[in-house]
Amino acid sequence: MNQKETVYNSPRLKIIENFVSLEECQWFIEYFEKQNLWKFCNAKKDYLADGKDFELVARQWDDRKIDFNKLYWTREYSELYKKIYPIMLAAKREISIFFNLPIKNFQLESWEAVRWYYPYWQGPHLDYIDPDFDRKNYDIDLSFFSEDEEALYRRHCTTKHMTGMIYMNQDFEGGELYFPYHDNFELKPKPGMLVMFSGHVKNPHGIKQITKGTRYVHTTFWCKDPERLSIAKFPIGHIENYGYPNKYWE
């Protein structure tokens, strides 16, 4: 499988094509749908800050997202983890190279698969906001998120320093990844493609509306300050820290 690497400076982003084989991508899509794992990870009020957060998360993500950290604790789906765990670790190695950060200095924050279909889309947003963020210190257009939305970011987006996405298919229309601050840079997903970037305040990005078909993506978020992960309800990073978890599935 011949990989092709491309690095962009505006936005600061790296692409590795053929990072995952077409056969693996198809296997994941078929497995997710056959097992109907989307419903297992729907939002629950017991781990969200308040009713407003619950409504927002449920409206956007219910029946569309699989949380691999959460799914892990069922001690089921061994065939899934045997395939996807090595891919997560390989993505971490590439994140380490691109951001020039030793592997020991960051860890998995969250790990998920998402499916996008009509009418879903996502406007310009951040993956990460510094806990000390003050919009008065930035001479850039921050109109894409209000002060109310800023409070939401502070609750949910202070540990996602780096983002990695592996696209699994291309038989859909729409769904381009775009960066409005960088001449509306736009990327059309290809199956097996790994994309890496930091979604900080100067690097907002969005996803154009899906108009036909279903777009599948495997996403990892990485934290450079593991001590701050203690705020999580679920033990994020357990799999990565303790190695391949055969003891549960042998």
Side-chain angles (χ1 to χ4, degrees), residues 11 31 36-37 43 45 76 113 213 245:
Y31 188 90
N36 195 22
L37 297 179
K45 290 184 179 179
E76 300 177 12

Side-chain angles (χ1 to χ4, degrees), residues 110 112 241:
S110 55
E112 60 199 33
N241 289 341

